[in-house]
Amino acid sequence: MKQSAYVRRQNNLKKIGFRKYTDYLSSNKWLEIKKDFIKNKSCRICRSTINLQLHHLNYTKNCLEGINLRMLVVVCQDCHRAIWTLEKEKGCHPDLA
């Protein structure tokens, strides 16, 4: 049986020392990754430069640690909400790679 992305994320978070995703998102490690990655960028979907966030396309250990940044996508807050809504309601994910 294939593990869900959230189970894999939780397992990888534990490997790098975090109990919960919210702990990771409030960590200095994540804030540094986010600050450097978002600099001088715009939303991949709507091209906004306001309220930018990072969306994980997957939750590998290397991605969570900031070693492999290819699976991070810059999106604005509104588009990020739309991605999560689509994923929760339809069980699919937009192609952002």
Side-chain angles (χ1 to χ4, degrees):
M1 186 164 135
K2 186 177 177 183
Q3 281 185 328
S4 76
Y6 300 107
V7 170
R8 286 191 305 275
R9 176 182 75 187
Q10 190 60 34
N11 290 338
N12 285 325
L13 285 170
K14 286 179 185 175
K15 289 178 186 175
I16 63 172
F18 295 98
R19 285 187 47 219
K20 300 182 295 187
Y21 190 53
T22 53
D23 295 340
Y24 169 73
L25 291 178
S26 62
S27 72
N28 288 335
K29 176 177 243 359
W30 174 244
L31 295 176
E32 195 64 32
I33 292 167
K34 181 178 165 182
K35 181 184 82 167
D36 290 343
F37 198 83
I38 287 178
K39 193 184 313 180
N40 300 318
K41 295 212 169 99
S42 61
C43 177
R44 171 82 57 95
I45 298 169
C46 73
R47 299 295 177 217
S48 173
T49 57
I50 300 169
N51 295 322
L52 295 179
Q53 302 178 348
L54 285 179
H55 178 68
H56 286 90
L57 297 176
N58 70 36
Y59 298 101
T60 64
K61 183 175 177 276
N62 285 345
C63 185
L64 292 169
E65 289 186 304
I67 296 168
N68 178 355
L69 302 178
R70 292 180 306 193
M71 290 296 155
L72 294 175
V73 177
V74 176
V75 291
C76 69
Q77 184 176 11
D78 291 340
C79 289
H80 205 187
R81 266 195 228 114
I83 290 167
W84 284 111
T85 299
L86 180 66
E87 188 170 276
K88 286 178 185 175
E89 291 178 0
K90 307 259 184 192
C92 62
H93 200 282
D95 183 14
L96 298 172

XYZ file of all heavy atoms in Angstrom:
807
model
N 0.838 -1.179 0.000
C 0.000 0.000 0.000
C 0.890 1.253 0.000
O 1.840 1.355 0.771
C -0.882 -0.014 1.238
C -1.887 1.086 1.261
S -3.136 0.667 2.498
C -3.301 2.183 3.320
N 0.589 2.198 -0.855
C 1.379 3.412 -0.995
C 1.079 4.372 0.154
O -0.069 4.593 0.509
C 1.036 4.073 -2.333
C 1.881 5.252 -2.650
C 1.541 5.804 -4.010
C 2.361 7.035 -4.277
N 2.046 7.647 -5.531
N 2.135 4.912 0.752
C 1.968 5.886 1.816
C 1.489 7.209 1.241
O 1.899 7.615 0.158
C 3.297 6.153 2.515
C 3.732 5.137 3.490
C 5.005 5.606 4.198
O 5.821 6.310 3.626
N 5.151 5.187 5.435
N 0.645 7.889 1.994
C 0.203 9.204 1.548
C 1.352 10.197 1.693
O 2.308 9.978 2.449
C -0.989 9.672 2.374
O -0.570 10.103 3.656
N 1.239 11.303 0.973
C 2.269 12.349 1.049
C 2.406 12.862 2.472
O 3.506 13.201 2.918
C 1.907 13.495 0.109
N 1.317 12.889 3.212
C 1.352 13.411 4.573
C 2.049 12.451 5.530
O 2.754 12.880 6.433
C -0.059 13.750 5.045
C -0.683 14.784 4.148
C -1.691 14.454 3.259
C -0.200 16.089 4.145
C -2.232 15.407 2.404
C -0.732 17.043 3.290
C -1.742 16.695 2.431
O -2.255 17.631 1.583
N 1.894 11.162 5.321
C 2.601 10.183 6.142
C 4.096 10.262 5.847
O 4.922 10.277 6.763
C 2.055 8.755 5.905
C 2.940 7.707 6.565
C 0.616 8.644 6.396
N 4.458 10.354 4.572
C 5.872 10.499 4.200
C 6.446 11.785 4.782
O 7.560 11.809 5.291
C 6.038 10.473 2.686
C 5.862 9.096 2.071
C 6.279 9.046 0.613
N 5.634 10.022 -0.239
C 4.445 9.859 -0.823
N 3.763 8.747 -0.648
N 3.940 10.800 -1.588
N 5.669 12.875 4.707
C 6.126 14.148 5.263
C 6.398 13.997 6.754
O 7.439 14.412 7.246
C 5.076 15.240 5.032
C 5.452 16.560 5.682
C 4.404 17.617 5.502
N 3.261 17.376 6.358
C 2.134 18.075 6.304
N 1.978 19.026 5.416
N 1.145 17.803 7.117
N 5.470 13.392 7.483
C 5.637 13.235 8.929
C 6.864 12.389 9.258
O 7.627 12.718 10.159
C 4.374 12.625 9.553
C 4.379 12.655 11.056
C 4.480 14.065 11.624
O 3.961 15.026 11.066
N 5.192 14.198 12.727
N 7.058 11.312 8.513
C 8.233 10.459 8.732
C 9.525 11.231 8.484
O 10.483 11.121 9.252
C 8.184 9.221 7.834
C 7.107 8.254 8.257
O 6.658 8.256 9.404
N 6.684 7.416 7.325
N 9.562 12.023 7.413
C 10.767 12.800 7.104
C 10.984 13.937 8.098
O 12.119 14.258 8.430
C 10.718 13.321 5.672
C 10.982 12.225 4.669
O 11.776 11.327 4.937
N 10.318 12.270 3.542
N 9.910 14.533 8.583
C 10.057 15.571 9.601
C 10.695 15.004 10.865
O 11.556 15.629 11.472
C 8.696 16.190 9.937
C 8.137 17.148 8.893
C 6.693 17.490 9.211
C 8.978 18.405 8.806
N 10.275 13.808 11.254
C 10.861 13.165 12.436
C 12.350 12.914 12.233
O 13.141 13.098 13.152
C 10.142 11.850 12.735
C 8.771 12.047 13.329
C 8.096 10.705 13.593
C 6.677 10.925 14.081
N 5.951 9.659 14.244
N 12.735 12.530 11.009
C 14.153 12.269 10.717
C 15.028 13.511 10.884
O 16.212 13.398 11.190
C 14.315 11.738 9.294
C 13.807 10.335 9.102
C 13.953 9.907 7.659
C 13.310 8.558 7.413
N 13.345 8.185 5.991
N 14.439 14.685 10.666
C 15.229 15.917 10.785
C 14.933 16.665 12.085
O 15.344 17.808 12.255
C 15.075 16.825 9.540
C 13.639 17.300 9.353
C 15.586 16.130 8.305
C 13.476 18.344 8.246
N 14.212 16.012 12.996
C 14.072 16.550 14.344
C 12.834 17.366 14.649
O 12.818 18.109 15.630
N 11.783 17.242 13.855
C 10.550 17.988 14.112
C 9.398 17.028 14.382
O 9.228 16.034 13.678
C 10.188 18.884 12.917
C 11.190 19.968 12.674
C 12.176 19.815 11.713
C 11.169 21.132 13.418
C 13.114 20.804 11.490
C 12.104 22.133 13.197
C 13.078 21.967 12.227
N 8.608 17.341 15.399
C 7.450 16.502 15.727
C 6.269 16.772 14.794
O 5.564 15.862 14.409
C 7.002 16.748 17.164
C 7.909 16.109 18.191
C 7.355 16.211 19.589
N 5.958 15.842 19.631
C 5.034 16.449 20.366
N 5.368 17.456 21.147
N 3.790 16.051 20.347
N 6.065 18.058 14.471
C 4.903 18.447 13.676
C 5.320 19.380 12.544
O 6.331 20.078 12.644
C 3.863 19.162 14.546
C 3.326 18.335 15.688
C 2.275 19.090 16.484
C 2.910 20.285 17.144
N 2.060 21.010 18.060
N 4.495 19.414 11.504
C 4.748 20.298 10.369
C 4.724 21.757 10.812
O 5.519 22.568 10.345
C 3.705 20.025 9.287
C 3.978 20.698 7.967
C 5.195 20.555 7.319
C 2.991 21.464 7.342
C 5.443 21.157 6.094
C 3.228 22.062 6.119
C 4.454 21.910 5.503
O 4.682 22.505 4.292
N 3.841 22.095 11.745
C 3.768 23.476 12.220
C 5.059 23.876 12.936
O 5.485 25.029 12.854
C 2.555 23.690 13.144
O 2.583 22.707 14.183
C 1.258 23.593 12.364
N 5.694 22.926 13.641
C 6.995 23.203 14.266
C 8.028 23.516 13.195
O 8.838 24.436 13.335
C 7.473 22.011 15.098
C 6.587 21.711 16.295
O 5.837 22.610 16.730
O 6.646 20.574 16.784
N 8.024 22.741 12.143
C 8.954 22.951 11.028
C 8.726 24.322 10.389
O 9.664 25.077 10.155
C 8.772 21.834 9.997
C 9.485 22.067 8.696
C 10.868 21.943 8.600
C 8.778 22.405 7.552
C 11.529 22.158 7.397
C 9.425 22.622 6.344
C 10.795 22.497 6.272
O 11.440 22.714 5.084
N 7.457 24.660 10.125
C 7.149 25.924 9.451
C 7.512 27.145 10.288
O 7.709 28.228 9.744
C 5.667 25.970 9.064
C 5.244 25.009 7.967
C 3.744 25.128 7.721
C 6.013 25.233 6.680
N 7.594 26.986 11.605
C 7.975 28.116 12.449
C 9.459 28.081 12.834
O 9.924 28.927 13.583
C 7.104 28.160 13.704
O 7.280 27.006 14.476
N 10.205 27.127 12.275
C 11.623 26.990 12.609
C 12.487 27.991 11.848
O 12.131 28.473 10.771
C 12.109 25.568 12.301
O 12.211 25.371 10.901
N 13.641 28.285 12.434
C 14.615 29.147 11.750
C 15.071 28.530 10.440
O 15.324 29.238 9.465
C 15.819 29.408 12.652
C 15.476 30.345 13.788
O 14.548 31.139 13.692
N 16.225 30.243 14.871
N 15.196 27.217 10.408
C 15.614 26.505 9.187
C 14.660 26.844 8.037
O 15.078 27.252 6.966
C 15.647 25.001 9.427
C 15.984 24.212 8.170
C 16.076 22.748 8.478
C 17.384 22.097 8.269
N 18.523 22.739 7.786
N 13.357 26.683 8.257
C 12.372 26.945 7.206
C 12.335 28.431 6.856
O 12.254 28.805 5.683
C 10.989 26.456 7.601
C 9.960 26.849 6.593
C 8.909 27.683 6.780
C 9.885 26.441 5.219
N 8.195 27.825 5.616
C 8.772 27.074 4.648
C 10.665 25.610 4.426
C 8.417 26.891 3.314
C 10.304 25.439 3.093
C 9.196 26.067 2.558
N 12.381 29.306 7.854
C 12.323 30.739 7.580
C 13.496 31.184 6.709
O 13.338 32.015 5.816
C 12.287 31.525 8.891
C 11.031 31.290 9.747
C 11.146 32.050 11.063
C 9.772 31.675 9.008
N 14.669 30.614 6.927
C 15.844 30.945 6.111
C 15.690 30.416 4.675
O 15.990 31.130 3.709
C 17.104 30.372 6.768
C 18.380 30.952 6.228
C 18.537 32.439 6.492
O 18.064 32.945 7.522
O 19.152 33.107 5.649
N 15.238 29.179 4.546
C 15.000 28.599 3.212
C 14.011 29.473 2.453
O 14.224 29.853 1.303
C 14.466 27.155 3.323
C 15.543 26.223 3.884
C 13.964 26.650 1.963
C 15.006 24.862 4.316
N 12.908 29.792 3.110
C 11.834 30.574 2.487
C 12.322 31.958 2.075
O 12.091 32.396 0.948
C 10.677 30.680 3.486
C 9.492 31.428 2.997
C 8.416 31.411 4.076
C 7.358 32.426 3.804
N 6.343 32.477 4.830
N 13.017 32.648 2.978
C 13.496 34.007 2.690
C 14.401 34.015 1.460
O 14.240 34.832 0.556
C 14.235 34.559 3.902
C 14.747 35.981 3.715
C 15.545 36.434 4.902
C 16.934 35.888 4.722
N 17.958 36.403 5.570
N 15.351 33.107 1.416
C 16.289 33.057 0.292
C 15.607 32.657 -1.015
O 15.927 33.177 -2.074
C 17.428 32.077 0.587
C 18.361 32.582 1.667
O 18.339 33.798 1.962
O 19.104 31.760 2.221
N 14.670 31.737 -0.936
C 14.038 31.209 -2.146
C 13.057 32.199 -2.765
O 12.945 32.299 -3.981
C 13.321 29.892 -1.823
C 13.007 29.065 -3.037
C 13.971 28.243 -3.592
C 11.760 29.108 -3.623
C 13.695 27.480 -4.705
C 11.471 28.346 -4.737
C 12.450 27.529 -5.285
N 12.342 32.941 -1.941
C 11.296 33.852 -2.431
C 11.873 35.161 -2.984
O 11.254 35.803 -3.825
C 10.267 34.133 -1.315
C 9.398 32.893 -1.106
C 9.411 35.332 -1.625
C 8.382 33.034 0.001
N 13.067 35.513 -2.563
C 13.657 36.800 -2.947
C 13.583 37.014 -4.464
O 13.989 36.170 -5.248
C 15.118 36.828 -2.487
C 15.747 38.184 -2.539
C 17.216 38.163 -2.170
C 17.498 37.382 -0.925
N 18.914 37.359 -0.564
N 13.040 38.155 -4.865
C 12.959 38.567 -6.274
C 12.153 37.606 -7.148
O 12.454 37.433 -8.325
C 14.360 38.751 -6.867
C 15.147 39.793 -6.127
O 14.609 40.843 -5.766
N 16.402 39.512 -5.870
N 11.132 36.978 -6.587
C 10.302 36.057 -7.366
C 8.845 36.502 -7.331
O 8.469 37.402 -6.592
C 10.436 34.646 -6.801
C 11.853 34.107 -6.956
C 11.865 32.631 -7.144
C 13.231 32.168 -7.556
N 14.045 31.634 -6.509
N 8.020 35.834 -8.140
C 6.587 36.099 -8.169
C 5.836 34.766 -8.165
O 6.430 33.709 -8.381
C 6.215 36.914 -9.410
O 6.541 36.199 -10.585
N 4.536 34.832 -7.942
C 3.692 33.639 -7.893
C 3.762 32.885 -9.218
O 3.622 33.478 -10.292
C 2.256 34.041 -7.588
S 1.084 32.663 -7.589
N 3.984 31.591 -9.142
C 4.082 30.745 -10.341
C 2.769 30.734 -11.116
O 2.748 30.554 -12.326
C 4.450 29.324 -9.906
C 4.399 28.247 -10.970
C 5.614 28.146 -11.873
N 6.868 27.935 -11.231
C 7.454 26.762 -11.027
N 6.864 25.665 -11.403
N 8.629 26.697 -10.454
N 1.647 30.964 -10.429
C 0.338 30.859 -11.076
C -0.148 32.205 -11.605
O -0.459 32.339 -12.782
C -0.691 30.251 -10.097
C -0.250 28.838 -9.717
C -2.094 30.244 -10.703
C -1.024 28.222 -8.579
N -0.210 33.223 -10.732
C -0.822 34.501 -11.136
C 0.187 35.645 -11.299
O -0.185 36.743 -11.689
C -1.903 34.908 -10.141
S -1.255 35.483 -8.542
N 1.462 35.396 -10.982
C 2.562 36.362 -11.108
C 2.520 37.498 -10.078
O 3.241 38.479 -10.201
C 2.645 36.957 -12.524
C 2.905 35.925 -13.583
C 4.260 35.341 -13.369
N 4.523 34.270 -14.335
C 5.185 33.181 -14.038
N 5.633 32.988 -12.834
N 5.407 32.266 -14.937
N 1.664 37.403 -9.061
C 1.638 38.404 -7.998
C 2.970 38.397 -7.262
O 3.658 37.379 -7.188
C 0.507 38.084 -7.014
O 0.573 38.952 -5.896
N 3.328 39.548 -6.696
C 4.526 39.636 -5.867
C 4.156 39.936 -4.408
O 5.012 40.245 -3.594
C 5.474 40.733 -6.389
O 4.764 41.969 -6.427
C 5.997 40.389 -7.773
N 2.881 39.821 -4.085
C 2.371 40.136 -2.749
C 2.025 38.848 -1.998
O 1.473 37.912 -2.572
C 1.120 41.039 -2.857
C 1.496 42.342 -3.574
C 0.522 41.321 -1.494
C 0.320 43.188 -3.965
N 2.332 38.817 -0.712
C 2.018 37.681 0.171
C 2.533 36.351 -0.385
O 1.795 35.366 -0.466
C 0.510 37.583 0.431
C -0.014 38.770 1.206
O 0.638 39.268 2.106
N -1.194 39.229 0.843
N 3.803 36.332 -0.741
C 4.377 35.123 -1.329
C 4.662 34.059 -0.276
O 5.049 34.359 0.849
C 5.656 35.463 -2.090
C 5.463 36.362 -3.305
C 6.810 36.649 -3.952
C 4.503 35.752 -4.305
N 4.452 32.811 -0.676
C 4.682 31.644 0.166
C 5.366 30.580 -0.668
O 5.466 30.709 -1.882
C 3.353 31.093 0.694
C 2.553 32.098 1.477
C 1.229 31.536 1.947
O 0.780 30.475 1.521
N 0.593 32.257 2.856
N 5.817 29.533 -0.010
C 6.391 28.395 -0.723
C 5.478 27.202 -0.577
O 4.964 26.932 0.502
C 7.770 28.036 -0.168
C 8.902 28.967 -0.544
C 10.196 28.498 0.085
C 9.065 29.051 -2.041
N 5.289 26.498 -1.668
C 4.495 25.273 -1.670
C 5.418 24.102 -1.962
O 6.205 24.150 -2.909
C 3.402 25.357 -2.746
C 2.579 24.122 -2.855
N 1.711 23.732 -1.859
C 2.504 23.185 -3.827
C 1.130 22.596 -2.228
N 1.600 22.250 -3.413
N 5.345 23.079 -1.113
C 6.135 21.861 -1.332
C 5.416 20.970 -2.340
O 4.246 20.643 -2.154
C 6.272 21.059 -0.030
C 7.201 21.644 0.958
N 6.796 22.552 1.925
C 8.525 21.454 1.149
C 7.842 22.880 2.662
N 8.896 22.237 2.218
N 6.104 20.595 -3.404
C 5.542 19.621 -4.337
C 5.693 18.208 -3.796
O 4.955 17.308 -4.171
C 6.218 19.736 -5.703
C 6.009 21.075 -6.413
C 6.813 21.106 -7.708
C 4.536 21.319 -6.699
N 6.675 18.021 -2.927
C 6.796 16.762 -2.185
C 7.520 17.055 -0.884
O 7.985 18.165 -0.659
C 7.468 15.654 -3.003
C 8.933 15.888 -3.234
O 9.647 16.410 -2.376
N 9.410 15.501 -4.391
N 7.593 16.063 -0.036
C 8.149 16.255 1.299
C 9.326 15.327 1.564
O 9.426 14.727 2.615
C 7.058 16.030 2.355
C 5.922 17.009 2.237
C 4.733 16.641 1.635
C 6.051 18.305 2.716
C 3.684 17.547 1.525
C 5.014 19.218 2.595
C 3.837 18.825 2.012
O 2.807 19.717 1.897
N 10.234 15.221 0.595
C 11.413 14.400 0.820
C 12.267 15.050 1.908
O 12.174 16.264 2.155
C 12.267 14.260 -0.457
O 12.766 15.556 -0.811
C 11.469 13.665 -1.605
N 13.092 14.260 2.524
C 13.976 14.763 3.575
C 14.861 15.884 3.024
O 15.027 16.923 3.657
C 14.815 13.612 4.123
C 15.727 13.986 5.267
C 16.416 12.738 5.810
C 17.395 13.073 6.896
N 18.696 13.476 6.391
N 15.404 15.700 1.833
C 16.267 16.723 1.233
C 15.522 18.013 0.942
O 16.085 19.097 1.046
C 16.937 16.199 -0.028
C 18.063 15.243 0.261
O 18.553 15.163 1.389
N 18.483 14.492 -0.733
N 14.270 17.916 0.559
C 13.465 19.110 0.305
C 13.181 19.836 1.617
O 13.341 21.051 1.715
C 12.158 18.728 -0.398
S 11.171 20.150 -0.891
N 12.800 19.096 2.651
C 12.511 19.698 3.947
C 13.753 20.336 4.571
O 13.650 21.337 5.276
C 11.924 18.651 4.900
C 10.527 18.145 4.538
C 10.166 16.935 5.385
C 9.487 19.242 4.695
N 14.917 19.777 4.295
C 16.160 20.326 4.839
C 16.725 21.473 4.001
O 17.694 22.110 4.395
C 17.215 19.224 4.965
C 16.916 18.246 6.069
C 18.037 17.257 6.278
O 18.421 16.572 5.305
O 18.529 17.178 7.400
N 16.134 21.731 2.841
C 16.617 22.805 1.985
C 17.781 22.408 1.104
O 18.424 23.255 0.498
N 18.059 21.108 1.018
C 19.150 20.618 0.169
C 18.708 20.581 -1.287
O 19.432 20.995 -2.184
C 19.610 19.223 0.645
C 20.202 19.338 2.050
C 20.613 18.612 -0.326
C 20.419 18.013 2.749
N 17.512 20.085 -1.534
C 16.949 20.011 -2.880
C 15.756 20.961 -2.946
O 14.704 20.674 -2.400
C 16.505 18.582 -3.195
C 15.870 18.457 -4.563
O 15.678 19.446 -5.262
N 15.533 17.249 -4.943
N 15.933 22.083 -3.605
C 14.883 23.102 -3.668
C 14.031 23.010 -4.931
O 13.137 23.823 -5.129
C 15.512 24.492 -3.549
C 16.318 24.732 -2.280
C 16.938 26.124 -2.307
C 15.476 24.535 -1.043
N 14.287 22.021 -5.772
C 13.520 21.893 -7.023
C 12.057 21.574 -6.781
O 11.232 21.780 -7.661
C 14.123 20.822 -7.909
C 15.491 21.188 -8.448
C 16.033 20.102 -9.300
N 15.996 18.867 -8.506
C 16.608 17.759 -8.811
N 17.306 17.688 -9.900
N 16.537 16.698 -8.047
N 11.728 21.074 -5.608
C 10.354 20.709 -5.312
C 9.623 21.772 -4.500
O 8.620 21.505 -3.871
C 10.310 19.366 -4.571
C 10.691 18.219 -5.455
S 9.454 18.118 -6.761
C 10.322 17.327 -8.056
N 10.153 23.004 -4.522
C 9.491 24.144 -3.899
C 9.033 25.090 -4.998
O 9.749 25.333 -5.959
C 10.445 24.889 -2.963
C 10.913 24.142 -1.736
C 11.949 24.976 -0.985
C 9.745 23.809 -0.828
N 7.829 25.617 -4.835
C 7.257 26.522 -5.827
C 6.767 27.779 -5.110
O 6.084 27.688 -4.089
C 6.067 25.849 -6.552
C 5.413 26.795 -7.537
C 6.513 24.585 -7.250
N 7.114 28.948 -5.641
C 6.645 30.208 -5.083
C 5.216 30.453 -5.566
O 4.944 30.424 -6.772
C 7.555 31.384 -5.513
C 7.012 32.707 -5.000
C 8.980 31.158 -5.032
N 4.318 30.673 -4.606
C 2.918 31.003 -4.913
C 2.462 32.087 -3.947
O 2.999 32.226 -2.856
C 1.982 29.775 -4.807
C 2.257 28.775 -5.905
C 2.060 29.119 -3.448
N 1.463 32.848 -4.354
C 0.899 33.836 -3.439
C -0.067 33.132 -2.484
O -0.453 31.978 -2.706
C 0.196 34.953 -4.206
S -1.330 34.439 -5.031
N -0.455 33.825 -1.449
C -1.324 33.230 -0.437
C -2.651 32.747 -1.037
O -3.119 31.655 -0.716
C -1.587 34.250 0.668
C -2.400 33.705 1.817
C -2.546 34.735 2.930
O -2.216 35.916 2.764
N -3.026 34.291 4.057
N -3.256 33.539 -1.923
C -4.536 33.143 -2.524
C -4.397 31.882 -3.377
O -5.221 30.971 -3.294
C -5.115 34.282 -3.375
C -5.582 35.452 -2.534
O -5.828 35.277 -1.317
O -5.691 36.560 -3.091
N -3.358 31.820 -4.186
C -3.159 30.631 -5.025
C -2.794 29.416 -4.170
O -3.213 28.296 -4.478
C -2.085 30.904 -6.079
S -2.635 32.058 -7.364
N -2.070 29.638 -3.088
C -1.713 28.539 -2.192
C -2.981 27.938 -1.576
O -3.145 26.719 -1.518
C -0.763 29.029 -1.113
C 0.107 27.962 -0.545
N 0.918 28.194 0.526
C 0.313 26.664 -0.885
C 1.578 27.086 0.827
N 1.223 26.146 -0.025
N -3.892 28.801 -1.146
C -5.180 28.317 -0.611
C -5.934 27.523 -1.667
O -6.521 26.484 -1.371
C -6.031 29.492 -0.150
C -5.880 29.782 1.299
C -6.991 30.699 1.798
N -6.365 31.747 2.561
C -6.334 33.028 2.234
N -6.931 33.471 1.166
N -5.721 33.902 2.992
N -5.933 28.011 -2.897
C -6.633 27.310 -3.980
C -6.024 25.929 -4.235
O -6.745 24.962 -4.490
C -6.604 28.153 -5.254
N -4.704 25.832 -4.160
C -4.030 24.537 -4.345
C -4.492 23.562 -3.274
O -4.850 22.416 -3.567
C -2.496 24.709 -4.293
C -1.998 25.458 -5.522
C -1.801 23.346 -4.171
C -0.559 25.937 -5.404
N -4.481 24.008 -2.011
C -4.872 23.115 -0.915
C -6.340 22.739 -1.002
O -6.721 21.601 -0.708
C -4.546 23.756 0.436
C -3.089 23.667 0.716
C -2.189 24.690 0.746
C -2.339 22.475 0.952
N -0.936 24.208 0.995
C -0.995 22.844 1.138
C -2.668 21.129 1.033
C 0.012 21.924 1.391
C -1.663 20.217 1.287
C -0.347 20.617 1.461
N -7.191 23.666 -1.406
C -8.614 23.359 -1.570
C -8.805 22.309 -2.653
O -9.542 21.338 -2.465
C -9.403 24.642 -1.917
O -9.247 25.569 -0.848
C -10.874 24.342 -2.136
N -8.137 22.476 -3.776
C -8.223 21.512 -4.871
C -7.760 20.138 -4.408
O -8.402 19.121 -4.686
C -7.375 21.987 -6.053
C -7.338 21.111 -7.293
C -8.719 21.063 -7.945
C -6.308 21.638 -8.277
N -6.665 20.118 -3.676
C -6.139 18.841 -3.204
C -7.089 18.166 -2.217
O -7.332 16.966 -2.300
C -4.777 19.045 -2.566
C -4.103 17.737 -2.230
C -2.668 17.927 -1.829
O -1.819 18.004 -2.723
O -2.419 18.016 -0.618
N -7.645 18.929 -1.302
C -8.539 18.355 -0.291
C -9.879 17.923 -0.887
O -10.395 16.859 -0.557
C -8.774 19.354 0.834
C -7.584 19.507 1.737
C -7.838 20.533 2.806
C -6.584 20.754 3.630
N -6.745 21.807 4.605
N -10.439 18.752 -1.756
C -11.768 18.463 -2.296
C -11.749 17.472 -3.450
O -12.650 16.662 -3.587
C -12.448 19.749 -2.734
C -12.822 20.647 -1.555
C -13.463 21.953 -1.990
O -13.637 22.181 -3.211
O -13.781 22.750 -1.089
N -10.747 17.558 -4.289
C -10.727 16.731 -5.507
C -9.686 15.622 -5.454
O -9.657 14.755 -6.315
C -10.448 17.619 -6.730
C -11.356 18.788 -6.858
C -12.419 18.547 -7.847
C -13.240 19.842 -7.972
N -14.415 19.705 -8.661
N -8.792 15.693 -4.483
C -7.744 14.677 -4.374
C -6.700 14.787 -5.477
O -6.002 13.837 -5.770
N -6.595 15.960 -6.088
C -5.591 16.132 -7.147
C -4.762 17.363 -6.856
O -5.081 18.168 -5.998
C -6.243 16.216 -8.515
S -7.342 17.615 -8.714
N -3.719 17.511 -7.613
C -2.767 18.581 -7.402
C -2.458 19.211 -8.755
O -2.217 18.508 -9.712
C -1.491 17.946 -6.815
C -0.616 18.905 -6.109
N 0.222 19.765 -6.760
C -0.445 19.142 -4.790
C 0.878 20.490 -5.885
N 0.495 20.135 -4.683
N -2.473 20.550 -8.855
C -2.152 21.172 -10.141
C -0.700 20.900 -10.519
O 0.145 20.721 -9.657
C -2.393 22.657 -9.884
C -2.305 22.834 -8.420
C -2.721 21.531 -7.806
N -0.430 20.862 -11.796
C 0.929 20.635 -12.283
C 1.716 21.929 -12.208
O 1.528 22.822 -13.018
C 0.888 20.117 -13.713
C 2.270 19.796 -14.253
O 3.223 19.727 -13.460
O 2.401 19.647 -15.477
N 2.579 22.042 -11.200
C 3.356 23.255 -10.993
C 4.837 23.054 -11.217
O 5.615 23.974 -11.082
C 3.141 23.779 -9.570
C 1.725 24.177 -9.200
C 1.635 24.494 -7.720
C 1.275 25.364 -10.024
N 5.226 21.838 -11.541
C 6.656 21.536 -11.695
C 7.231 22.198 -12.936
O 6.584 22.588 -13.835
C 6.875 20.038 -11.761
